Amino acid sequence: MNAIVALCHFCELHGPRTLFCTEVLHAPLPQGAGSGDSPGQGEQAEEEEGGIQMSSRIHSHSPADGAGAEASSPGPKKSDMCEGCRSLAVGHPGYISHDKETSIKYVSHQHPNHPQLFSIVRQACVRSLSCEVCPGREGPIFFGDEQHGFVFSHTFFIKDSLARGFQRWYSIIAIMMDRIYLINSWPFLLGKIRGIIDELQGKALKVFEAEQFGCPQRAQRMNTAFTPFLHQRNGNAARSLTSLTSDDNLWACLHTSFAWLLKSCGSRLTEKLLEGAPTEDTLVQMEKLADLEEESESWDNAEAEEEKTLVFPEGAEGQEQIKCPTDLSSLSDCGSWQPRKLPVFKSLRHMRQVLGAPSFRMLAWHVLMGNQVIWKSRDIDLVQSAFEVLRTMLPVGCVRIIPYSNQYEEAYRCNFLGLSPQVQIPPHVLSSVGPTILSKIEAALTNQNLSVDVVDQCLVCLKEEWMNKVKVLFKFTKVDSRPKEDTQKLLSILGASEEDNVKLLKFWMTGLSKTYKSHLMSTVRSPTASESRN
C-alpha cells in the first residue's frame, strides 16, 4: 500500500510534532529518490537479502543528527525540538524491514526525507491535533484533499503524571492519495490502530500508577504556591514516549507494527481488471463478501463486550471459544467454504468417468433443477470434494452447502448435503429427460479434444447464457407482470419451453444478485421509465 503511517504528538512547548513515521519504498530504488543521501540508500538496497528483516543501516534519517542534517533535511532544527518532540536519539540511523516476496522496503524514521512528503505529513499532523478532531477529542476521523492527500487519523491520550491534566495528546495517522482505498480500509485500520493505541495506553497507565503511588502529583500541586505552570515544572514540560511507557524498544516495536499494518492493508484489497460488465456470479460473490465482513465485525464487537464481563481460565483458550461460532457458520456459506485437503474429484469430467455416464447424468439433472443432492459417506473429504466440483454447474447464488451433518437437513436450508451412512433420509424420485443445458454440459465433458480448462470456460459461458435467459424471464414476469400467454411465447423464443427448462429457469432465478433486482426495481419506478411505457 502506497501510504505513510505516522505517530504525532502535541508538544506543550512546540505544538504539533511528528514523532515517528513509516513509509513504503519500492525496490529497486530510483536514483535520486529520497534525500540527498539516496546513494547510501541505494547501497542499502543492494546489501539487503533474505526474508523480512529489520536493520539499522540507513543513514541520515534523523533531521536532528547534526549541522549537516539541519542543512539538508526539511525537518525542524535541533533547537526547536525538546525531549518530547524527539523519538530516535541523535545519530540513530532509523529502521528498515525488507519484504522478500514483494521486494518492498518499509522504512521508519522521525520525518520523511523528501521535502514534499515532509510537507504532507507535517500538514496532516497539524490538522489531526488541532482542527480535525472528532467529538470527545479521542477517536477516528477522516479528512484530506486531492492536493495534500487523504488522512485517517485516530487521536488519543497518554497518561503522564507531570503533564497538565495528567495526560498528553497523541495521534496515529495514515496518509495516502487514494481516497476510495483509504475509505474501504477504514474498518481494518480502525481495529488495528486501536490495538496499537490500547497497548501504548496500557504501558503508560502502569508507569503513571507507579509514579502516583510513589509521589502523588495532585496533592503536591495543590500544596504548592501558584507560579507560571511551565516554570514551575523546572524544564520537565516534555517527556519522551519511551519514558512515559518505560519501554526502551518502543520505536522498534512501532516500526514492526506500522510495517505490518502497511503490508496487511495493502494485501487485503486487490484490484481486478474486468472486461465488460461483471457476471452475476461476481456480483453475488461481492455481496456475500460484504455480508461476511459485517458478520465478522459484529462478532468482534460481541467478543469485545464479552471480554469485559467474562474471565476465562488460560486467556487464550477463552478467546478461541468466542471465535468458534464464526468459523462454524462459515462452513455452510457457499462463498467461503473450501475443501481442506487435496480434492478426490479433480473436475466434472473426472467425476463423470468415476460415476459413469448414466449415474452422472442423473446426478447433474438434480443439481441443475435445484433438487437436494445428498451424498452419504464416511469419508468427509470425499463429500466435500464432490460438492466443490458439482457447485461449478450452478450460479453462485443458487449454491447452499452443508458439507457434513449427522442428521437430515430440510431442502430449504441446503441443496448440497453430506451425511453419514447411518442417517435416514426421505426417498427421492428420479425421473426426467433433463434440461437443455445438461445435454450441452455432457457434450463438453465427452469431447476429449477439450482440456479441463476449456471445459471450465464452457461451463462459465453456459451459465451466463442461461442466466441471461433468467434475467429476461424475471423482468418479464416479476417486474412487467406480463400474462401467461406472453410468458409462453417468450419461453418459446428463448428455447426453454420444455417443463424441465422452465423449472431450471425458476430455480436459477433465486440466484440473481440483489444489485440486479434493485436496479430493475429502481428503473421501473423512475418517471422516465413510466413515460416510455406510455
Side-chain angles (χ1 to χ4, degrees), residues 51 87 154 178 208 354 444 500 528:
S87 56
H154 197 303
D178 193 334
F208 174 79
V354 173
D500 287 343
T528 55

Side-chain angles (χ1 to χ4, degrees), residues 10-40:
F10 189 91
C11 178
E12 295 178 356
L13 295 179
H14 304 105
R17 284 287 186 267
T18 304
L19 282 181
F20 194 76
C21 68
T22 302
E23 56 183 312
V24 178
L25 298 179
H26 296 269
L29 295 177
Q31 187 173 3
S35 68
D37 296 318
S38 58

Side-chain angles (χ1 to χ4, degrees), residues 43-62:
E43 294 174 4
Q44 164 64 22
E46 294 177 1
E47 293 174 5
E48 282 285 334
E49 59 183 1
I52 296 180
Q53 57 184 13
M54 195 166 67
S55 175
S56 298
R57 293 179 287 173
I58 300 178
H59 302 288
S60 300
H61 279 315
S62 179

